[in-house]
Amino acid sequence: MDISKQKDLFDIPEHICFLNTASLSPSFKAVEQAGIDAVLQKSRPYLIPSSDFFDPVIELKQKFAKLIEVDEYERIATITSASYGIATVANNIKLEPGQNVILMQEQFPSNYYSWKKLTDHYQAELKIVQAPKTKINRGKLWNKAILEAIDDNTAVVAMGHIHWSSGTLFNLKAIREKTFQHKALLIIDGSQSVGALPFSVKEIQPDALICAGYKWLFGPYGCGYAYYGPYFDHGEPLEENWTNRLDSHNLPDLTKYQNEYKPFANRYVMGESGSFIHVKMQLAALKQVLLWTPEAIQDHCRTLSIKAAKELRNLGCYIEIDAYRSHHLFGLELPVSVDIEEFKKILADHGVFVSFRGAYVRLSCHLFNTKLDFDTFITCLKLALR
């Protein structure tokens, strides 16, 4: 398989320059067809076997477990969203007054509000590690500041593998070692990394990993995945749905109420996790992502982005140095001379789709992108600079 020639798997017109997978991924054709097939199947529900409530979900968990290097697929829960997964985590953590929960500056809201509520409830501290003001070695210094922030009062460090708008890469292995030293939990939001950037639970050993499924995992909007480690084996789910209990596959015996949950992360699975439409689309998506491999995706994006980043820096943009950023997603700070509204109009006129997030213009690429896409974006910036 030529990893650089995958655009035919997608339905993206030639005149469209889509550098915005970090916002919402395009479905490739196999995912689209899986969704159509599932919609048609729902038209004849009498042909849907009861096993479809369970078996495809098991297969889905197994595929996600393989992607993140987890041996026990039952440590995977299928969820509705990243916020659902983070809320489940926070729901099972108790703090002492004076303890702290560490977050990164301008973290995505779904990985902020639950921690704000938790620390407020227990009169604990929400400790935000700010990005350094300097643009010299910013990523390196930010990583150093995170390590220095973790102390004996730290109960939780909650963060992404990368920053969702700048693409700054965090050294999770070093951060995990520091949290172990201080007996703090490490909760990772992998929504903007897992699928496009290699991640190993065996290597990092997070206490939980939460991922939205509609970005780099190419699922439909409204799906996600979570890994829950041993700390959460006996926790409380957000909801009590019938599929989370032992022997729930015996449909005739459902009113023989069961006090016990299924083992490990099964208790945290969302209600209606067997969604016949979503699951079929998710399976088609994960099969392809596993075939591509995150390593190959990251390598392709590195090849595309390094040259483009160099050109953009020469035009006066600030981008984190290549060693401290991801290559599938990176943010750039524009020169002050650029009129943002005028630049947005130029991009729209040229069919270029990117995200504006805080101080950054965020570019995110995948296997369907080519050098021409970055060239088009750079041409638009040059027009704005005139």
Side-chain angles (χ1 to χ4, degrees):
M1 178 179 64
D2 186 343
I3 203 72
S4 66
K5 296 181 179 178
Q6 301 295 300
K7 191 167 184 178
D8 287 347
L9 298 182
F10 296 84
D11 186 21
I12 301 174
E14 287 299 322
H15 68 282
I16 294 297
C17 173
F18 191 76
L19 291 167
N20 206 18
T21 295
S23 180
L24 182 65
S25 66
S27 289
F28 39 87
K29 294 172 185 176
V31 173
E32 177 185 297
Q33 190 58 53
I36 292 170
D37 292 344
V39 169
L40 294 175
Q41 184 187 35
K42 181 61 170 62
S43 299
R44 297 180 177 180
Y46 45 86
L47 297 180
I48 301 175
S50 59
S51 60
D52 269 17
F53 285 99
F54 303 99
D55 293 349
V57 178
I58 290 173
E59 184 183 357
L60 191 59
K61 291 180 182 182
Q62 289 171 333
K63 289 191 180 333
F64 186 71
K66 182 178 180 181
L67 183 67
I68 61 171
E69 296 192 358
V70 170
D71 291 331
E72 298 168 305
Y73 76 86
E74 288 189 302
R75 290 206 171 278
I76 306 302
T78 50
I79 55 177
T80 57
S81 62
S83 59
Y84 187 100
I86 295 294
T88 297
V89 169
N91 188 54
N92 286 284
I93 295 175
K94 295 181 179 179
L95 303 175
E96 298 294 332
Q99 286 188 305
N100 63 65
V101 173
I102 293 178
L103 309 181
M104 304 307 106
Q105 177 186 349
E106 296 184 349
Q107 198 151 279
F108 192 76
S110 294
N111 202 14
Y112 170 85
Y113 289 121
S114 286
W115 302 116
K116 178 70 167 64
K117 183 177 181 180
L118 185 71
T119 50
D120 285 351
H121 178 77
Y122 286 105
Q123 296 180 306
E125 178 188 3
L126 192 62
K127 197 171 180 179
I128 308 295
V129 182
Q130 300 292 326
K133 300 292 186 184
T134 178
K135 293 182 178 180
I136 301 173
N137 291 324
R138 181 185 286 178
K140 182 178 181 179
L141 293 173
W142 200 357
N143 273 272
K144 182 182 177 183
I146 295 166
L147 292 173
E148 291 174 347
I150 302 168
D151 56 29
D152 285 340
N153 290 322
T154 302
V156 181
V157 177
M159 61 189 299
H161 191 171
I162 64 173
H163 194 271
W164 71 290
S165 53
S166 69
T168 301
L169 188 62
F170 298 117
N171 186 347
L172 294 184
K173 195 168 183 180
I175 293 166
R176 173 77 280 192
E177 289 175 3
K178 190 74 182 288
T179 59
F180 276 142
Q181 291 172 23
H182 294 279
K183 299 179 180 178
L185 299 173
L186 179 62
I187 311 301
I188 302 299
D189 180 358
S191 298
Q192 291 291 14
S193 55
V194 171
L197 184 67
F199 184 92
S200 170
V201 166
K202 289 181 180 178
E203 179 186 13
I204 304 301
Q205 301 178 58
D207 294 287
L209 169 71
I210 312 300
C211 296
Y214 63 93
K215 300 175 185 289
W216 306 98
L217 298 171
F218 288 91
Y221 192 69
C223 71
Y225 307 88
Y227 158 82
Y228 295 107
Y231 180 89
F232 296 98
D233 280 354
H234 305 288
E236 292 291 326
L238 291 181
E239 55 175 299
E240 304 294 341
N241 72 72
W242 66 277
T243 59
N244 289 0
R245 301 286 175 154
L246 277 180
D247 302 323
S248 58
H249 58 284
N250 293 323
L251 300 188
D253 295 333
L254 285 181
T255 52
K256 293 179 180 178
Y257 301 124
Q258 173 60 258
N259 291 327
E260 296 296 320
Y261 294 105
K262 291 176 181 176
F264 304 124
N266 289 295
R267 67 183 59 214
Y268 302 120
V269 170
M270 67 183 184
E272 301 185 12
S273 60
S275 169
F276 310 111
I277 297 171
H278 275 186
V279 171
K280 284 182 172 58
M281 296 176 75
Q282 288 174 264
L283 280 171
L286 285 192
K287 285 177 184 176
Q288 186 62 62
V289 172
L290 284 166
L291 184 63
W292 283 329
T293 77
E295 291 81 2
I297 293 166
Q298 192 66 197
D299 285 346
H300 174 80
C301 295
R302 181 183 292 107
T303 299
L304 288 181
S305 75
I306 284 182
K307 185 176 183 296
K310 183 178 180 180
E311 290 187 54
L312 289 165
R313 291 186 186 108
N314 288 338
L315 289 172
C317 298
Y318 169 75
I319 300 170
E320 181 57 69
I321 64 172
D322 295 338
Y324 277 93
R325 69 171 179 88
S326 58
H327 296 281
H328 65 290
L329 179 163
F330 63 95
L332 56 94
E333 295 181 31
L334 296 170
V336 293
S337 61
V338 174
D339 182 304
I340 298 297
E341 294 308 313
E342 177 64 20
F343 185 39
K344 287 181 179 179
K345 183 178 184 303
I346 292 170
L347 291 172
D349 289 344
H350 286 77
V352 179
F353 293 83
V354 297
S355 288
F356 288 77
R357 297 290 185 266
Y360 294 95
V361 179
R362 187 182 66 191
L363 308 183
S364 51
C365 58
H366 209 274
L367 297 180
F368 53 81
N369 291 114
T370 65
K371 178 180 177 295
L372 180 61
D373 292 318
F374 281 105
D375 289 345
T376 303
F377 177 83
I378 290 167
T379 296
C380 291
L381 180 57
K382 288 178 178 177
L383 290 173
L385 286 168
R386 288 178 187 173

